[in-house]
């Protein structure tokens, strides 16, 4: 399962993480760079971002899906293992995990779009690995990239705007 590069860095295996979430019936919407790729953007991402309701039940599913991959809190000093209960995780606004198959950021909201309910209401549905999967809408993703405004996000925003313009001409 774990493919490592020289130097010990884990090779991101988003497909493995995605299959695990889908298999565990986790509620989520694909966001970030993976969503940009699904909309046709060429930018390569190094992690996997999803927007998910951080309810107790969904956190239970998340824990079950990620347990085989030894999740750790990667933004916490010492990168401790995730040993909290679903009830405890449901108190967080976002969850940032590194695993043996890559990094996953589980976001409770996506500014400036809003919370999970706002994101999922406009999400598009695609089929991935023979399962239905929600992806943040192209317009919402453009709004997010414009809001974040990091140099890499501006590049992605520009490409996404071009994709939207091309789709509008069809």
């Amino acid at each position: 399962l774990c493919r490592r590069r020289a130097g010990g860095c884990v090779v991101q295996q988003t497909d493995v993480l995605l299959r695990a979430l889908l298999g565990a019936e986790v509620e989520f919407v694909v966001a970030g760079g993976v969503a940009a790729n699904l909309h046709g953007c060429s930018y390569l991402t190094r992690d996997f971002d999803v927007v998910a309701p951080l309810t107790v039940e969904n956190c239970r599913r998340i824990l079950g899906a990620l347990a085989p991959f030894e999740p750790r809190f990667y933004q916490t000093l010492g990168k401790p293992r995730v040993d909290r209960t679903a009830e405890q995780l449901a108190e967080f606004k976002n969850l940032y995990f590194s695993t043996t198959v890559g990094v996953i950021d589980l976001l409770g909201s996506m500014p400036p779009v809003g919370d999970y309910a706002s994101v999922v209401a406009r999400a598009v549905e695609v089929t991935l690995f023979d399962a239905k999967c929600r992806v943040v809408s192209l317009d919402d993703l453009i709004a997010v990239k414009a809001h974040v405004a990091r140099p890499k996000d501006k590049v992605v925003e520009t490409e996404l705007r071009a994709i939207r313009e091309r789709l509008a001409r069809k």
Side-chain angles (χ1 to χ4, degrees):
L1 282 178
C2 181
R3 291 180 269 171
R4 294 190 181 271
R5 289 187 193 141
C9 295
V10 171
V11 174
Q12 183 72 26
Q13 297 174 64
T14 299
D15 60 322
V16 175
L17 292 167
L18 188 51
R19 286 175 194 264
L21 296 179
L22 291 168
E25 298 181 359
V26 174
E27 286 183 67
F28 68 97
V29 175
V30 176
V34 175
N37 294 151
L38 291 169
H39 283 294
C41 184
S42 63
Y43 180 80
L44 296 178
T45 187
R46 295 182 187 175
D47 65 356
F48 180 37
D49 302 316
V50 302
V51 181
L54 297 181
T55 61
V56 172
E57 183 53 39
N58 211 40
C59 285
R60 261 192 206 100
R61 292 181 186 136
I62 291 165
L63 285 171
L66 299 180
F69 312 116
E70 304 170 21
R72 295 181 169 274
F73 292 102
Y74 77 81
Q75 289 192 339
T76 302
L77 190 61
K79 299 181 175 142
R81 285 186 179 260
V82 176
D83 60 359
R84 306 219 181 162
T85 65
E87 290 78 13
Q88 291 169 320
L89 291 179
E91 295 177 14
F92 285 74
K93 291 184 180 183
N94 301 310
L95 299 170
Y96 303 101
F97 295 155
S98 63
T99 73
T100 58
V101 293
V103 172
I104 181 168
D105 295 346
L106 298 124
L107 311 171
S109 66
M110 193 172 68
V113 177
D115 63 4
Y116 173 77
S118 299
V119 173
V120 77
R122 291 186 296 278
V124 296
E125 195 171 84
V126 299
T127 301
L128 297 172
F129 312 114
D130 297 322
K132 298 287 184 193
C133 183
R134 294 181 183 123
V135 178
V136 65
S137 74
L138 182 58
D139 288 338
D140 284 352
L141 190 56
I142 291 168
V144 169
K145 295 300 181 183
H147 176 77
V148 175
R150 296 176 298 193
K152 70 178 185 176
D153 293 298
K154 291 308 252 178
V155 170
V156 173
E157 176 195 351
T158 300
E159 188 172 353
L160 291 172
R161 286 183 185 280
I163 290 166
R164 182 174 63 187
E165 187 176 306
R166 187 182 72 235
L167 291 172
R169 286 186 297 218
K170 285 186 175 182

